[in-house]
Amino acid sequence: MLKKKFYLISRLVSGLGNSLYGLVFIWWLQTQTESSFIVGIVNAIFSTTAALSIFYGPIIDSHSYKKTSIVAMIWQVGLTFTLTATITFFAHNYFWAILIAGALSLCDEFFDPADRAILKGTLTKENEMTSMIAQINIVDQVVQIGGIALSGALLAFLTSGQIIFICACLSLLGLILLLVALDQVSSQDHDQVKKVSHTVTLANYWQQVTSGYQYVRANSFLQRYFWSSLLFSFASPALILLLPRIAQKSGRPALYSTFYLFLMAGFILGALLAGKMNADTRIMAFSWILSAVPLILMLFFMTNMIAFVFLLFIFGIATSIHNVLGEAKKQNVTENQYLARVLTTMRTGTEIGGPIASVVAGALLDHVGQQELIIVCVILILLGGINLLLVKPAD
């Protein structure tokens, strides 16, 4: 049985460490190299490890979800301490720091699907799953806000290496709490179904990689959600690039953090609301479509920052609702033995547009304009929501 309080506290502690680490490491790399190109390469590495998630699914499914999540956390703790030493004692050799950071991002890609798959075996009621996913999303947004606030404060009087050491300690504490949370969870993940063989040949591995996508294609909801997520993967990075641009043009840099704080506040409220809902495809689809409305209104309030911040808040609410319901629905409709392969396949769909969209959005902002970029995002989001409306009721 999963100890929910320890599980959520573990996620809070380790998530805060991850949030701090991500912000501080990029800052350290920027100040150390004074090269935006190198920082861009590192961001591309992080995006690529996420976009390749589909290839990790068979490996995760062939082992205990509990053991996989714990081993991934152990590696994360070890690598974060190693990164601390590298930054502290070998600051000028940033190649090794980048290599370790890439390995750390890979740990997350193994931990997250295994961690979510554990929930399927321990939470049997559909509404219980939705409630838990909502609580996880709230915790994730809280740690993002905490990471943003703490990183600026800590960098004022601590070095980057010292802060990443704190991140390593937080990860270690998160690991200990995770061990307590999973203590009574069976290492067999409660699956009465036969697991995939641990001996995976190359041919068998590729067959299992494609089997995750085949499973997605065979389910009306999963197939539609995959393509809607893929469309959204092109819109999301564009919006991320848009916010600093608007803050810069307004001449008020403080707006940048304000934008994110209101957006995340919307995410938290949306997760709270979604936790009270059923994972219904229609609600999800209408919420997806409604998330485009505040973007449309932004076209008329580009210079009114009070209205713009409020619209970001509304966008966060609508987006969070369909994210929470989507996460719950994905797990509810997927059989245990395919869970990691399905989750990693879907993750690839949500991330694959990132590297391309970042480049295209940057070019649009530099050579076309902000309104045109928002219009493109609106079209992509509307198409994704309409696509979800076509899910067959039986699925």
Side-chain angles (χ1 to χ4, degrees):
M1 183 62 67
L2 179 70
K3 297 177 182 176
K4 296 179 186 177
K5 288 184 179 178
F6 281 101
Y7 175 84
L8 290 171
I9 296 172
S10 168
R11 194 169 184 94
L12 177 68
V13 171
S14 58
L16 181 59
N18 283 344
S19 177
L20 262 177
Y21 149 74
L23 292 163
V24 172
F25 180 73
I26 291 298
W27 172 261
W28 172 83
L29 196 62
Q30 179 68 54
T31 55
Q32 189 67 31
T33 65
E34 296 184 355
S35 170
S36 296
F37 177 70
I38 292 176
V39 173
I41 289 174
V42 172
N43 277 324
I45 291 172
F46 294 162
S47 297
T48 302
T49 56
L52 295 176
S53 289
I54 189 172
F55 297 107
Y56 318 141
I59 300 171
I60 299 169
D61 266 334
S62 66
H63 297 82
S64 162
Y65 296 139
K66 176 182 176 179
K67 290 178 181 177
T68 300
S69 62
I70 291 172
V71 169
M73 274 289 287
I74 291 171
W75 272 100
Q76 179 177 309
V77 171
L79 286 169
T80 311
F81 276 113
T82 304
L83 183 62
T84 302
T86 303
I87 287 176
T88 304
F89 301 110
F90 307 99
H92 295 292
N93 194 348
Y94 51 82
F95 169 79
W96 291 107
I98 293 173
L99 197 64
I100 295 167
L104 270 168
S105 68
L106 197 58
C107 288
D108 284 340
E109 300 310 321
F110 276 84
F111 173 79
D112 284 339
D115 184 59
R116 292 298 177 94
I118 289 171
L119 299 180
K120 178 70 181 291
T122 55
L123 306 175
T124 53
K125 297 179 181 178
E126 184 173 330
N127 61 340
E128 190 180 17
M129 176 70 77
T130 307
S131 175
M132 192 62 178
I133 295 292
Q135 291 177 63
I136 289 171
N137 275 264
I138 291 169
V139 168
D140 288 350
Q141 297 307 321
V142 167
V143 299
Q144 286 296 324
I145 294 173
I148 292 170
L150 275 176
S151 61
L154 292 177
L155 280 169
F157 59 90
L158 293 177
T159 67
S160 297
Q162 290 168 337
I163 298 173
I164 291 181
F165 176 73
I166 293 172
C167 296
C169 293
L170 288 171
S171 293
L172 178 59
L173 179 58
L175 171 62
I176 294 169
L177 290 168
L178 181 68
L179 290 171
V180 174
L182 301 182
D183 180 52
Q184 296 178 15
V185 174
S186 169
S187 62
Q188 300 303 314
D189 302 310
H190 293 275
D191 57 352
Q192 292 77 22
V193 285
K194 186 178 179 181
K195 279 284 198 179
V196 211
S197 170
H198 283 242
T199 306
V200 181
T201 64
L202 183 60
N204 190 27
Y205 169 75
W206 284 108
Q207 183 181 12
Q208 289 177 40
V209 167
T210 57
S211 71
Y213 180 64
Q214 288 168 358
Y215 190 96
V216 168
R217 286 188 61 189
N219 182 282
S220 177
F221 167 74
L222 292 176
Q223 183 185 35
R224 295 285 180 184
Y225 196 87
F226 176 86
W227 290 110
S228 293
S229 298
L230 190 144
L231 290 170
F232 197 83
S233 77
F234 285 91
S236 181
L239 294 172
I240 290 171
L241 288 177
L242 179 68
L243 297 183
R245 175 75 168 225
I246 292 175
Q248 181 188 26
K249 283 205 163 190
S250 72
R252 288 173 282 178
L255 275 174
Y256 183 42
S257 58
T258 303
F259 288 158
Y260 269 102
L261 288 174
F262 274 84
L263 185 61
M264 290 176 185
F267 286 151
I268 292 171
L269 180 56
L272 284 169
L273 294 173
K276 308 296 182 182
M277 302 176 183
N278 293 322
D280 182 85
T281 308
R282 297 289 169 181
I283 298 175
M284 200 184 311
F286 284 121
S287 175
W288 199 300
I289 292 170
L290 284 173
S291 69
V293 174
L295 295 183
I296 295 170
L297 293 176
M298 283 178 188
L299 295 170
F300 306 97
F301 294 97
M302 296 299 292
T303 56
N304 186 331
M305 290 300 102
I306 295 176
F308 189 85
V309 165
F310 176 73
L311 291 172
L312 271 180
F313 176 69
I314 301 300
F315 176 77
I317 294 173
T319 303
S320 184
I321 290 173
H322 73 66
N323 280 344
V324 170
L325 298 182
E327 285 292 323
K329 184 77 171 181
K330 279 187 286 185
Q331 298 205 42
N332 289 333
V333 302
T334 306
E335 297 173 44
N336 281 24
Q337 69 269 35
Y338 285 95
L339 199 50
R341 277 169 286 174
V342 167
L343 291 178
T344 51
T345 298
M346 302 300 275
R347 172 120 172 112
T348 292
T350 60
E351 298 290 339
I352 199 168
I356 301 171
S358 295
V359 174
V360 173
L364 281 173
L365 281 173
D366 286 340
H367 300 101
V368 182
Q370 296 164 181
Q371 288 86 350
E372 288 79 4
L373 182 62
I374 292 175
I375 290 170
V376 172
C377 291
V378 166
I379 292 170
L380 291 171
I381 291 171
L382 286 176
L383 288 174
I386 293 168
N387 180 55
L388 275 180
L389 284 175
L390 301 177
V391 174
K392 297 176 183 176
D395 293 324

